[in-house]
Amino acid sequence: MYVCFLFFGSDYISIEGSTITLEQDSVEDEMEIATVRHRPEALELLEAQSKFTKKELQILYRGFKNECPSGIVNEETFKEIYSQFFPQGDSTTYAHFLFNAFDTDHNGSVSFEDFIMGLSILLRGTVQEKLNWAFNLYDINKDGYITKEEMLDIMKAIYDMMGKCTYPVLKEDTPRQHVETFFQKMDKNKDGVVTIDEFIESCQKDENIMRSMQLFENVI
Ligand SMILES: [Ca+2]
Ligand SMILES: [Ca+2]
Ligand SMILES: [Ca+2]
């Protein structure tokens, strides 16, 4: 999950699976903690809304402020970070889609709150929550339906990002073939759009789809 590292290029924080730790025990340093105790009410609210503890939130907040001193991340920042992780391909489009999925209030920036709520689902959410998040990512225009074109746009963006780097699930099919197969499975009533119910039902029933959801988790 590259998102974990995107904001934490510093060597302070590592996120493995769902465990967040500090590489250095400097969080014990009261002076440092004091600088992180910005807006304590906001952190308390986030503690209640997310699946992170107060201490984890403090660690994450410090990482966030370290990478983004202004406290907000815009789309350009997302694109820059992704281009560092995928220098072999063009990650611009995928970074754009991801940015929109993180920017839940659609105000053009990812705040610490937006970031934490996304991360909480991706790292510690239930399968249902993760699938909801994925649906929202694929539903590019956020109208509540995934069209074949939207799915194709996401797939193409992933292919572009991976560049020439071989990827087991992707190497045999072109994006269009890949999407045809998925879409036919997901669009149960054949009305040309995939609803959230169709999406969740197909993902939970079909191992192949779940596996490729894993694929997309890996590129987040
Ligand atoms: Ca926002
Ligand atoms: Ca849509
Ligand atoms: Ca349908």
Side-chain angles (χ1 to χ4, degrees):
M1 298 258 272
Y2 288 107
V3 74
C4 309
F5 304 103
L6 17 117
F7 297 110
F8 309 125
S10 71
D11 57 1
Y12 291 119
I13 297 158
S14 75
I15 303 180
E16 273 189 53
S18 64
T19 312
I20 298 166
T21 48
L22 267 189
E23 297 292 333
Q24 300 164 1
D25 55 2
S26 50
V27 75
E28 303 304 334
D29 184 331
E30 286 302 317
M31 284 301 284
E32 298 237 18
I33 287 180
T35 65
V36 178
R37 278 190 189 143
H38 178 61
R39 295 187 306 159
E41 330 73 41
L43 278 189
E44 262 166 41
L45 191 63
L46 271 181
E47 190 189 356
Q49 288 171 344
S50 74
K51 294 177 184 177
F52 296 117
T53 64
K54 194 169 193 173
K55 186 162 183 176
E56 286 172 332
L57 287 169
Q58 287 174 335
I59 295 171
L60 289 166
Y61 186 70
R62 188 162 71 176
F64 190 86
K65 285 296 263 190
N66 196 37
E67 287 297 310
C68 318
S70 66
I72 50 160
V73 179
N74 61 25
E75 192 170 326
E76 279 314 303
T77 319
F78 248 67
K79 288 178 179 170
E80 278 167 30
I81 294 163
Y82 266 76
S83 66
Q84 287 165 26
F85 277 104
F86 297 94
Q88 77 280 16
D90 178 2
S91 55
T92 322
T93 315
Y94 193 68
H96 167 75
F97 294 145
L98 263 187
F99 180 84
N100 286 342
F102 269 97
D103 179 18
T104 44
D105 58 358
H106 309 300
N107 69 347
S109 64
V110 170
S111 62
F112 182 64
E113 287 76 10
D114 289 335
F115 173 66
I116 287 299
M117 294 318 291
L119 200 61
S120 175
I121 292 169
L122 293 169
L123 293 178
R124 301 200 176 150
T126 61
V127 172
Q128 177 96 18
E129 286 169 333
K130 286 180 185 173
L131 289 174
N132 272 319
W133 199 90
F135 183 88
N136 182 50
L137 172 71
Y138 277 87
D139 177 14
I140 295 171
N141 68 356
K142 318 294 178 206
D143 69 348
Y145 302 101
I146 300 175
T147 61
K148 199 180 278 183
E149 287 67 34
E150 285 175 322
M151 202 178 268
L152 189 60
D153 285 346
I154 298 272
M155 247 357 131
K156 277 184 182 160
I158 293 176
Y159 269 64
D160 288 346
M161 180 171 67
M162 305 310 281
K164 287 191 164 58
C165 155
T166 51
Y167 210 73
V169 189
L170 297 180
K171 66 183 177 189
E172 289 169 17
D173 287 341
T174 67
R176 189 170 287 280
Q177 288 167 325
H178 207 79
V179 165
E180 279 298 333
T181 316
F182 269 16
F183 206 85
Q184 279 183 13
K185 279 185 186 165
M186 289 189 176
D187 183 14
K188 301 267 184 235
N189 65 355
K190 307 291 171 209
D191 67 347
V193 292
V194 173
T195 61
I196 184 77
D197 292 339
E198 286 175 324
F199 184 78
I200 289 178
E201 198 191 331
S202 332
C203 290
Q204 285 178 331
K205 276 188 185 159
D206 192 311
E207 248 183 54
N208 284 327
I209 298 180
M210 275 305 247
R211 216 175 296 138
S212 73
M213 301 309 293
Q214 290 289 1
L215 169 153
F216 111 82
E217 268 191 18
N218 289 339
V219 295
I220 285 177

